[in-house]
Amino acid sequence: MCLTGVDYFSTLGYQPAIAALAAGLISPFATVVLVVLTLAGALPIYRRVAEESFRGSGSIAMLERLLPWWAGKLLVLVLLGFAATDFIITITLSAADASAHAIENPFAPAWFHGNEVFITLLLVGLLGAVFLMGFREAIGIAVLLVAVYLAQNVIVVSVSIVEVFLHPLDVTDWWAALNAEHGNPWIIVGIALLVFPKLALGLSGFETGVALMPQITGKHDDTEDRPQGRIVGAKRLLTTAAIIMSVFLITSSVVTTFLIPQAEFQAGGAANGRALAYLAHEYLGPAFGTVYAISTILILWFAGASAMAGLLNLVPRYLPHYGMAPNWVRAVRPLVLVFTAIAFLITIIFQADVDAQGGAYATGVLVLISSAAIAVTLSSHRKQQRRQTVAFATVSVVFIYTTVANIFERPDGIRIAALFIAGILVVSLVSRVQRSFQVRATSVTFDATARRFITEDAQLGEVLIIANEPDDRSGEEYRKKTDDERRLSHIPSTSSTIILEVHLTDSSDFEEDLRVEGVDVDKYRVMRVASGNVPNTLAAVLLGIRDITGVVPTIYFEWTEGNPISNMFRFLVTGSGEVAPVTREVLRESETDLKRRPQVHVS
């Protein structure tokens, strides 16, 4: 909860000031709208996401299942672009905000001023160093920072509430000013609803909450397919964080509105971006105010930890599995270095400017929440849960409106997200092409019949495989194919052969667990395997036969008709195309020893 909370709770460092600046005297009412949508909208959505996507993939995995083949993969890549925008900007914006708090502190050294970029880069580098040590260390730091920060916020808010009661005229003056400026209650409600998109950063912790689910231990009887203990723990995490944050959002909004003059929230004002720090200095003295400022700086710095953890859980689950990233992406430490380098680049480009990055941050947060709302709506509809469908659809409309409003108001956010999406698409395409000649199977399993076929022939000293493109799978089809190959490839009539065929599935999949099934059709022995890719699968099965029997098999093909260039594009997109030469190339790259490499004959 604390690892999620360093992102979620750290928004208290600037959220009350954002609310006061956006809504003015209506700030408490606008914050109530935010809390209602948190508890009645975002929380139920992500509790449902935790139940249906418990491997840390969040709503992205739910939406992936709705679209087959390449459409689902492209949707995932686009959403990963928004997730990268959200998480990377969380790292850079929070570090930049931490450096801004440090510079604005009255006790800050003089050399801090003008060195925002250097201080921010230092904070980002320290965050990366923590994750190079490991997750356990990151969680330990998060628990300490969140406990201290929330305890200090309790003190600041409690003292401020006492000040409000001791000075009731402040409330009277606020009420009079509110009525003078907005006399109609419906106008107040309308404005509170309209400014909600500007307060949406107060929802930033939910996506990282479900992304961190693999870190939850769960119960001893949890299974991989249904880790009920992990699901219950994730729901408890989300609910606890949402309730804590909601209480602080409302109380902090009330006290900052009553006790801080509106002019102080403007650019250059003492409370701009640091309302609670202003109250800490004002009512608890410079010593406590400085301690509170240091605590705020530390949690803002470490707010990127939940984003880094989310990226480390999310990216390896998709890109390597799609063949759209190198296998080293599964390793934590190299990935930490990559994300840290990207954060350095973003910090330098934006010169550690918090306002310049705010639009991208809000866009990433809102797109992911909207996608989660749509995912649970479609899930409820598919399961014929009418009430849940209507409720989630209503919340989806609210979040979609909020996202669109934010994009129109701050279009720079969608531009930055588009750059992340374009970068992921380009890297994914290049990686997929580079890895196209790899053996993609993570495992090859032969059933009892298929194993009997290959061991019988291996005992005779050779295993001869005939590659067949399946049609009606009849005895006549296999007779014709066998006769053609014996004639064209000069296979002796006394030699036994086994027919091997691949039944195409989703060609957009990259890594697969292959199961080879053996069947007797008339007098012909046939092995069948389902896969999204033909040549790589054939190569994997041939290597599997060699490893089981110790005999290097030989496979026979017919040349594929058509232009070889167009056939290569067919291979990249549909998984078929120029099968024989690609099979041979996959074998050549995976086995350098000629004596152990399965032989390929084409006629």
Side-chain angles (χ1 to χ4, degrees), residues 446 449-467 486 491-492 494-500 516 525-527 538-557 587 595-601:
F446 295 84
T449 305
R451 187 177 285 268
R452 173 170 58 84
F453 291 164
I454 60 178
T455 52
E456 286 176 349
D457 285 11
Q459 290 172 358
L460 300 175
E462 60 180 2
V463 178
L464 306 182
I465 304 295
I466 294 175
R486 287 189 183 278
I491 302 174
T494 55
S495 297
S496 297
T497 59
I498 304 171
I499 295 173
L500 175 60
V516 183
R525 299 175 301 167
V526 182
M527 294 194 300
L538 292 174
V541 173
L542 292 172
L543 292 170
I545 292 172
R546 180 204 65 187
D547 294 340
I548 289 175
T549 64
V551 175
V552 177
T554 300
I555 188 167
Y556 295 89
F557 291 95
L587 291 169
K595 295 181 179 180
R596 288 179 50 78
R597 184 189 302 162
Q599 299 298 309
V600 175
H601 287 261

Side-chain angles (χ1 to χ4, degrees), residues 313-355:
N313 274 323
L314 198 61
V315 171
R317 291 182 178 275
Y318 286 106
L319 295 186
H321 178 65
Y322 289 176
M324 294 176 174
N327 274 322
W328 60 259
V329 169
R330 301 180 192 275
V332 171
R333 287 178 174 81
L335 209 53
V336 169
L337 294 175
V338 170
F339 293 143
T340 302
I342 294 173
F344 276 5
L345 181 62
I346 295 294
T347 299
I348 293 170
I349 290 173
F350 288 100
Q351 290 295 291
D353 188 329
V354 175
D355 294 332

